[in-house]
Amino acid sequence: MKASKFKKISCQLIALTLTAAALSAESTARIVTVGGAATEIVFALNRGNDVVGVDLSSTYPQAATKLPQVGYVRSISAEGVLALEPTHIVGTSDIGPANALNQIKASGVPTSVIPSPGSPEDLYQAIQVLGEELEQTEAATQLKSKIESQLASIQKLETKPKVVFFMSSPGLGHLNAAGRGTKATAMIELAGGENVIRSHPGYKSISHEALVALQPDIILIGLAEGMPHNETRILDGVLHNAAWQNVPAVREKQVHTVPLGRTLSFGVRVGEAALELNQLFAETVSN
């Protein structure tokens, strides 16, 4: 009886020791994420509790906004990142400048850099890579399946609405519009629309005359998440602009604000963002 009791106690002690070791290993993980998509993926893979710092573009989930910040993704400070004593750094390929990234890699801290997603395929690859590196392969598979299911629900539109996407409030003197090769264009096309601006790559100013000539059915205005905005004032400034009253989007009041982070990061919310735009596009072409 004594031997059996001793054996039972020994097994319990071993189990407690292993559990404590596992908890200790988890608690010592310190992850810094740089880039909105990287942060979203790490949190979605159930490793959010291990994140100790993020960059300014990491506006989702809400918990990430309460963490120490290491600067903007393209202009981080190596010293600021390393001061958080990370055990792992995860960033998108937008991370920079190059000398800061080189300093971080030279420090010996494991660093994972995923391509900045610009399509669902890019996102799936990033999820798979980080799922393996963060030992969350099952969560990665489930996350990928969820997004695929959302995107599969997008309606195929017989008529594609003509869309213009502004990166910020289109004031009287500055229309910063998305052109070829942008994530805005990729998202518009994913949702079943057409970006009618093909005159330039990237984001550039267009004239008021050009906007009228393009005759867009829908105008989208991207607003930074986590920043105060007077949405009513922004929309009224467009809808009541006398020079744009012949623009279909203005005439039919199809001017909408969208959150930049969710719409352009091609992070884990890409399915939600595309479905929301797809519904908007469908309603517009059906009217």
Side-chain angles (χ1 to χ4, degrees), residues 78-210:
E79 292 78 9
V81 173
L82 296 175
L84 294 175
E85 300 182 350
T87 58
H88 195 167
I89 299 164
V90 179
T92 63
S93 53
D94 295 324
I95 189 171
N99 63 330
L101 180 58
N102 291 336
Q103 283 181 289
I104 289 172
K105 290 181 176 179
S107 72
V109 177
T111 302
S112 304
V113 178
I114 58 173
S116 181
S119 68
E121 291 70 29
D122 293 341
L123 176 61
Y124 298 152
Q125 182 180 3
I127 290 172
Q128 180 180 347
V129 168
L130 291 183
E132 293 172 355
E133 295 191 2
L134 298 177
E135 300 181 349
Q136 295 289 330
T137 54
E138 184 176 347
T141 299
Q142 293 174 353
L143 178 59
K144 179 174 176 287
S145 296
K146 175 185 176 182
I147 297 170
E148 286 177 328
S149 177
Q150 290 172 328
L151 293 178
S153 301
I154 291 176
Q155 302 178 55
K156 293 189 181 300
L157 306 178
E158 292 184 7
T159 302
K160 294 183 178 181
K162 297 187 292 184
V163 184
V164 167
F165 189 105
F166 290 119
M167 279 294 287
S168 57
S169 175
L172 292 177
H174 191 65
L175 303 177
N176 193 24
R180 303 189 308 272
T182 60
K183 290 186 178 182
T185 296
M187 176 57 76
I188 289 168
E189 293 176 350
L190 182 63
E194 175 192 2
N195 183 0
V196 291
I197 295 183
R198 297 292 177 180
S199 58
H200 63 256
Y203 299 90
K204 293 183 180 179
S205 295
I206 64 170
S207 68
H208 294 270
E209 294 76 14

Side-chain angles (χ1 to χ4, degrees), residues 229-242:
H229 298 288
N230 188 331
E231 188 172 341
T232 300
R233 180 183 61 80
I234 291 171
L235 292 176
D236 284 348
V238 176
L239 293 171
H240 297 147
N241 189 318

Side-chain angles (χ1 to χ4, degrees), residues 16 195 213 218 259:
L16 288 172
N195 183 0
I218 297 172

